[in-house]
Structures are given as structure tokens and as C-alpha cells.
């Protein structure tokens, strides 16, 4: 689980950088703090799923989260 969250955090950080967004901007759009965003980008398992979702939404990536456990994805 921790390895998967670290990968998710890395992917979120990379997505933010690809969009040329600062941590401050993404944190503001996600209604969270920069330290919390830093914890997400590190894959901190103690951060709530709701905050992860808010950050994904701020990056325009929330749809992917909604499909994670969908029946279509469940082989």
C-alpha cells in the first residue's frame, strides 16, 4: 500500500509539474495547505482520501479516480 501511494504521490507531483503549476496554486485549488500537498506528493498514507481526491480534481484528473474500482476495470 505504501509503495502504491508513493507512486501515486510521484505521479501527482509530475502531473503538477507538467502543468507548470506551483505547489501553492494546486494547494489553493484543492483547499488544502502546501505542507499537506507536500505530504501527498510524498505518498503519505495518513492523508485522507478526500484530500487526495481534491488534489486530483485541482489537476483535472478526478475522473481517473472515479473509475478505479468500476466494474469495467474489474477483470
Amino acid at each position: 500500500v505504501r509503495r502504491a501511494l508513493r507512486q501515486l504521490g510521484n505521479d501527482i507531483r509530475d502531473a503538477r509539474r507538467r502543468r507548470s503549476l506551483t505547489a501553492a496554486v494546486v494547494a489553493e485549488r484543492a483547499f488544502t495547505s502546501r505542507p499537506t500537498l507536500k505530504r501527498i506528493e510524498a505518498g503519505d498514507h495518513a492523508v485522507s482520501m478526500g484530500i487526495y481526491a481534491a488534489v486530483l480534481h485541482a489537476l483535472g484528473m478526478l475522473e481517473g479516480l472515479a473509475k478505479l474500482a468500476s466494474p469495467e476495470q474489474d477483470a
Side-chain angles (χ1 to χ4, degrees):
V1 171
R2 289 178 192 229
R3 190 173 328 136
L5 286 173
R6 274 195 307 273
Q7 183 61 53
L8 177 59
N10 286 334
D11 292 345
I12 287 171
R13 184 191 64 240
D14 292 345
R16 177 179 61 79
R17 289 177 176 171
R18 281 192 305 275
R19 288 160 176 76
S20 299
L21 296 171
T22 66
V25 167
V26 173
E28 182 179 328
R29 290 180 182 177
F31 302 100
T32 193
S33 66
R34 286 179 58 201
T36 299
L37 178 61
K38 183 176 180 176
R39 289 174 55 205
I40 286 171
E41 291 183 351
D44 189 332
H45 70 282
V47 177
S48 78
M49 186 172 181
I51 301 299
Y52 272 91
V55 169
L56 289 169
H57 177 70
L59 294 170
M61 303 175 78
L62 188 60
E63 186 175 324
L65 178 64
K67 292 182 179 181
L68 274 179
S70 70
E72 296 84 25
Q73 302 295 321
D74 190 7

